[in-house]
């Protein structure tokens, strides 16, 4: 991923990885292009996604490193998978949120859906709330270490190492490590074609 220019200073959002400013300009360029392609104003997208206008403007200008939560909120309102704004899988981009770090491993496309496969880590401590994705998106998590509570906010599921969780994620959902052990898991998101 390209480095920001030495004269530009990036300001990470709270919860973002301060070392993750690589590619911020490219992510911002893609968000802006998708927004403009859909004829949505900056103010309207910020309002729909539930993020501050200054945050969205900074994201589009490449001066802010967005959290995973912000990227999901914005891409859901644009009606695209997260990978539509990330660099290609060869770069293995990692996005971080309040508790989750997810590294993109591969993107699969078929006639009915796009799939994103991530290696996911969930830190112990406070969990992470993820905004709703577009209608019909499902998440599939296989836990390799630790105990994970995840799923819709009003009906979370729990799985230990070797377990699997599945839910429709077009509602707000959460991820939390249960106990003091970090959770290692795979996350597969399925975005149906409209």
């Amino acid at each position: 991923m390209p480095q920001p220019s030495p004269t530009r200073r990036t300001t990470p959002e709270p919860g973002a990885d301060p070392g993750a400013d690589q590619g911020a300009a490219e992510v911002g360029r893609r968000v802006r292009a998708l927004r403009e392609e859909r004829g949505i104003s900056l103010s309207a997208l910020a309002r729909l996604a539930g993020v501050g206008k200054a945050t969205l403007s900074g994201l589009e200008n490449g001066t802010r490193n967005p959290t995973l939560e912000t990227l999901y909120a914005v891409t859901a309102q644009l009606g695209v998978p997260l990978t539509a704004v990330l660099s290609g899988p060869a770069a293995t981009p990692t996005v971080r949120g309040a508790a989750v770090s997810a590294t993109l491993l591969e993107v699969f496309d078929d006639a009915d859906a796009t799939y994103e496969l991530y290696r996911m880590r969930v830190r112990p401590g406070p969990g992470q709330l993820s905004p709703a994705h577009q209608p019909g998106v499902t998440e599939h998590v296989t836990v390799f270490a630790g105990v994970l509570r995840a799923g819709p906010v009003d009906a979370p599921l729990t799985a230990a190492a070797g377990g699997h969780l599945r839910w429709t994620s077009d509602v707000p959902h959460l991820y939390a490590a249960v106990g003091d052990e970090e959770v290692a898991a795979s996350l597969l998101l399925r975005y149906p074609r409209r």
Side-chain angles (χ1 to χ4, degrees):
M1 289 185 218
Q3 293 282 344
S5 69
T7 57
R8 178 182 290 166
R9 181 174 171 80
T10 58
T11 305
E13 285 187 26
D17 176 16
D21 59 4
Q22 297 180 20
E26 183 61 22
V27 168
R29 184 192 66 71
R30 290 177 182 178
V31 168
R32 176 176 291 159
L34 287 164
R35 178 180 60 76
E36 290 174 349
E37 182 179 291
R38 285 157 177 73
I40 302 172
S41 72
L42 183 82
S43 296
L45 181 57
R47 186 176 55 257
L48 290 168
V51 300
K53 185 177 174 182
T55 297
L56 184 56
S57 177
L59 187 161
E60 287 191 357
N61 291 318
T63 60
R64 294 185 73 104
N65 285 318
T67 63
L68 184 58
E69 296 92 336
T70 298
L71 286 176
Y72 274 136
V74 169
T75 56
Q77 294 308 313
L78 293 171
V80 297
L82 180 63
T83 53
V85 299
L86 298 177
S87 296
T92 61
T94 298
V95 289
R96 291 173 174 78
V100 175
S101 297
T103 302
L104 179 64
L105 300 175
E106 191 159 352
V107 178
F108 309 86
D109 285 305
D110 68 22
D112 299 325
T114 295
Y115 299 86
E116 298 174 347
L117 178 62
Y118 294 88
R119 178 177 49 244
M120 182 172 72
R121 299 265 183 202
V122 182
R123 294 176 297 284
Q128 176 172 318
L129 181 62
S130 185
H133 297 289
Q134 55 266 38
V137 173
T138 55
E139 296 193 24
H140 308 261
V141 178
T142 302
V143 178
F144 300 112
V147 178
L148 178 67
R149 175 167 287 122
V153 171
D154 61 351
L157 308 164
T158 303
H164 177 262
L165 304 174
R166 178 194 183 279
W167 68 90
T168 301
S169 56
D170 55 7
V171 297
H173 47 288
L174 62 88
Y175 305 89
V178 177
D180 295 332
E181 184 180 355
E182 181 177 78
V183 172
S186 67
L187 169 64
L188 179 70
L189 283 98
R190 180 185 184 276
Y191 297 87
R193 297 207 188 280
R194 291 183 173 177

